[in-house]
Amino acid sequence: MTNTRLSDATLHSLPPGVDAPRYDRAKLRPGIVHLGVGAFHRAHQAAYVDDCLTSGETGWGIVGVSLRSPETRDALAPQDGLYTLAARDGDGEALRVVGSVRTLLVAPKSPEAVLAALTDPDIRIVTLTVTEKAYLRAPDGTLDISHPDIVHDLADPGSPRTVHGFLTEALRRRRENGVAPFTVLCCDNLPANGATLHRLLIAFAQLRSDELARHVADGVAFPSSMVDRIVPATTDADRARIASALGARDAWPVLTEPFRQWVIEDRFPQGRPAWEKFGVTMVEDVGPFEDMKLRLLNGAHSAIAYLGLLGDHATVDRAFADPAIRMFVDRLWAEAIPTLPQDAGLDTASYTVELAARFSNTALAHRTAQIANDGSQKLPQRIVSSALARLNAGLAAEHLSLVIAAWIAACEARGSSLPEGHFTDPLDAPLGELFGRSLPAEETVSAVFDLAGFATGNARKQTLIERAATHLTRLRKDGVSSAFAALGVRGNEPA
Ligand code: CS2
């Protein structure tokens, strides 16, 4: 293995087939702070920004912030923030070194440095990919004001731990310094993600002062966006293969698919990169795109993950190649599609054809266990909302409700047919306690709904619980094939 490390100093010696920054990184000014500088950000927003920098923009360097672990900073700081993005499919692998991330910070190590970056007048946009659970919503969707990190950030605003604490304190300081607020661009898989974050931040700011709440409410733009790119976790084999192709070691390359999509509401009072030149769709209302992606892509992903885990499939492509799971997903899409806005011009037929091709990408080896994480945070917008929409319209939601049951069954299987800790969930402690009581299916499902806040206040909650419980009974007794058989889902037959 090579001793050379990817860095500014070694960029010139990369082989000709590797795409690398053709702009002067030393001339970049920071313009974006990104909270949650994980693999997804590096495969998606950072690559689009890199395109803009390649086209000559200089004011949009990214300051990448990790809110929890120092791992990304430790891997990338010795590489001057450079990393390789490997886009893979059956045709091969395209390698590109991305140069847009210039600085890396670790919030728990230096919250003051993060606040300093956020108050820098050059910073005009703050983007976020912090995963669903970091929004700290209570089961009813409001800000979880009893969460210890929220309590901490209210008591000690100068040393925050949460996105709410960082953004609110930075907006307060900017205002005090006479610096215009940044635009907050949420890039997590939440419905109306910008509006959701806006609502939570107003609630947080309100606990600090009326004036701050008013400022966050009226003075700051929170465009929503839909982000899409499949990003499996990097393995040691990926690191070794990429090092040999680069002739230089990269401690943390990012794997992805060739496909990428970003739809953004165009509200950026302080300006933005010319993303539209690189395939980003700028719109007035992202809602229909977001719903389509959450319900069709992410909903199917969660279904494939839990059914795949129960059926012993370690990766998405292998699970999706199982004819019964494939037929199930087609039927799941058929259930979810009528719940999408009908007048927004969505082409769901082409979309699902494309999704099927993406899920079949064998070069990604996207692990079902990776997607299975945090089901309590993901299922509301992926599955529960479409199930309720159908039930409220008097339609059946058998496939959607089976996904909820499959999630519960997969959680129950950890420590027996699945390894302990094979995937995790913020509700693991109360879920473990609940499963330890070995209750009948309906009592289990009902308790899970209450814990996770599924269908809170919806008139159809009990119906959905009953449907999911019927499926859970079958899954517990005879596994996936029996739950499928009851719906007429079989392998080797067209849907
Ligand atoms: C996946 C998503 O892990 C998951 O829950 O469903 O990360 C998915 O790969 C992305 O949203 C694709 O854009």
Side-chain angles (χ1 to χ4, degrees):
M1 154 111 47
T2 168
N3 283 325
T4 313
R5 181 85 177 254
L6 177 66
S7 70
D8 278 332
T10 56
L11 264 185
H12 65 276
S13 54
L14 294 175
V18 177
D19 202 6
R22 275 164 277 141
Y23 50 90
D24 185 354
R25 297 185 78 224
K27 293 223 172 79
L28 292 185
R29 287 202 333 278
I32 298 173
V33 169
H34 182 80
L35 304 181
V37 62
F40 183 78
H41 168 68
R42 293 194 281 135
H44 190 272
Q45 301 100 55
Y48 280 107
V49 171
D50 194 58
D51 290 334
C52 296
L53 303 180
T54 302
S55 77
E57 298 201 53
T58 53
W60 298 108
I62 297 173
V63 178
V65 178
S66 298
L67 284 174
R68 295 211 306 232
S69 110
E71 278 180 313
T72 309
R73 193 267 324 262
D74 292 351
L76 297 197
Q79 303 179 180
D80 303 313
L82 295 168
Y83 61 92
T84 316
L85 185 57
R88 290 165 71 75
D89 65 8
D91 295 335
E93 179 168 68
L95 299 183
R96 157 182 188 181
V97 173
V98 175
S100 51
V101 179
R102 293 282 288 132
T103 313
L104 290 135
L105 300 173
V106 183
K109 301 259 184 236
S110 46
E112 196 44 55
V114 177
L115 284 172
L118 288 167
T119 44
D120 177 348
D122 273 350
I123 297 298
R124 284 152 293 150
I125 300 176
V126 176
T127 52
L128 298 90
T129 49
V130 289
T131 79
E132 296 86 343
K133 59 178 175 281
Y135 292 87
L136 304 179
R137 291 163 300 160
D140 67 356
T142 60
L143 180 69
D144 182 0
I145 54 175
S146 64
H147 193 284
D149 290 345
I150 295 283
V151 173
H152 169 275
D153 285 6
L154 289 168
D156 186 3
S159 179
R161 291 179 184 158
T162 66
V163 292
H164 318 68
F166 276 110
L167 293 174
T168 307
E169 177 62 8
L171 287 165
R172 187 193 69 75
R173 292 187 186 185
R174 288 176 82 103
R175 185 159 193 244
E176 193 174 81
N177 300 344
V179 176
F182 41 66
T183 299
V184 182
L185 177 58
C186 180
C187 301
D188 274 301
N189 283 320
L190 295 172
N193 53 9
T196 299
L197 176 56
H198 197 183
R199 174 173 58 74
L200 295 168
L201 274 200
I202 295 169
F204 180 85
Q206 187 71 58
L207 297 169
R208 293 196 52 189
S209 77
D210 287 350
E211 197 196 349
L212 196 48
R214 261 196 311 277
H215 177 54
V216 174
D218 302 333
V220 188
F222 286 77
S224 288
S225 83
M226 181 272 251
V227 295
D228 189 7
R229 197 164 207 188
I230 292 174
V231 184
T234 307
T235 65
D236 286 341
D238 297 323
R239 284 190 180 81
R241 186 184 66 252
I242 289 166
S244 97
L246 293 182
R249 198 163 72 81
D250 177 350
W252 205 335
V254 178
L255 275 290
T256 191
E257 58 180 339
F259 179 93
R260 63 179 191 172
Q261 189 178 15
W262 200 1
V263 187
I264 309 177
E265 290 176 353
D266 203 357
R267 287 185 281 119
F268 291 82
Q270 307 306 318
R272 59 166 176 81
W275 284 312
E276 71 283 1
K277 289 190 188 155
F278 302 96
V280 176
T281 313
M282 305 301 304
V283 297
E284 206 169 300
D285 175 16
V286 84
F289 297 94
E290 225 166 5
D291 285 348
M292 177 165 79
K293 194 251 171 170
L294 287 168
R295 295 182 183 189
L296 301 187
L297 187 158
N298 297 113
H301 243 179
S302 292
I304 293 166
Y306 299 119
L307 293 166
L309 286 174
L310 294 171
D312 212 15
H313 297 298
T315 62
V316 170
D317 62 287
R318 297 238 289 271
F320 198 61
D322 174 332
I325 291 184
R326 175 61 208 262
M327 179 177 183
F328 178 83
V329 170
D330 280 332
R331 289 185 173 195
L332 186 75
W333 282 333
E335 263 180 19
I337 285 170
T339 73
L340 296 171
Q342 300 300 301
D343 52 359
L346 299 173
D347 183 353
T348 53
S350 317
Y351 191 70
T352 49
V353 167
E354 194 167 34
L355 286 183
R358 294 170 66 197
F359 292 165
S360 305
N361 185 343
T362 54
L364 288 183
H366 193 191
R367 293 181 63 245
T368 42
Q370 181 182 338
I371 300 167
N373 287 312
D374 300 343
S376 67
Q377 307 287 306
K378 293 173 175 174
L379 293 193
Q381 54 276 11
R382 297 179 177 205
I383 297 292
V384 177
S385 49
S386 8
L388 292 174
R390 284 189 68 90
L391 294 175
N392 284 325
L395 302 167
E398 287 307 301
H399 300 75
L400 289 158
S401 50
L402 173 49
V403 180
I404 301 172
W407 168 55
I408 297 173
C411 289
E412 289 181 337
R414 288 176 302 173
S416 52
S417 60
L418 291 173
E420 192 79 61
H422 196 47
F423 59 90
T424 62
D425 194 285
L427 289 183
D428 274 342
L431 285 176
E433 197 269 330
L434 172 67
F435 299 150
R437 288 157 60 202
S438 301
L439 297 172
E442 190 168 332
E443 281 174 56
T444 302
V445 175
S446 179
V448 169
F449 268 52
D450 287 344
L451 280 173
F454 287 179
T456 304
N458 194 291
R460 295 295 166 167
K461 177 174 174 182
Q462 188 52 32
T463 314
L464 187 55
I465 290 173
E466 284 163 19
R467 296 322 307 143
T470 303
H471 296 303
L472 183 60
T473 304
R474 294 186 189 122
L475 288 171
R476 280 176 170 178
K477 194 160 170 286
D478 294 311
V480 176
S481 51
S482 120
F484 275 180
L487 294 182
V489 173
R490 288 169 301 271
N492 299 319
E493 279 176 40

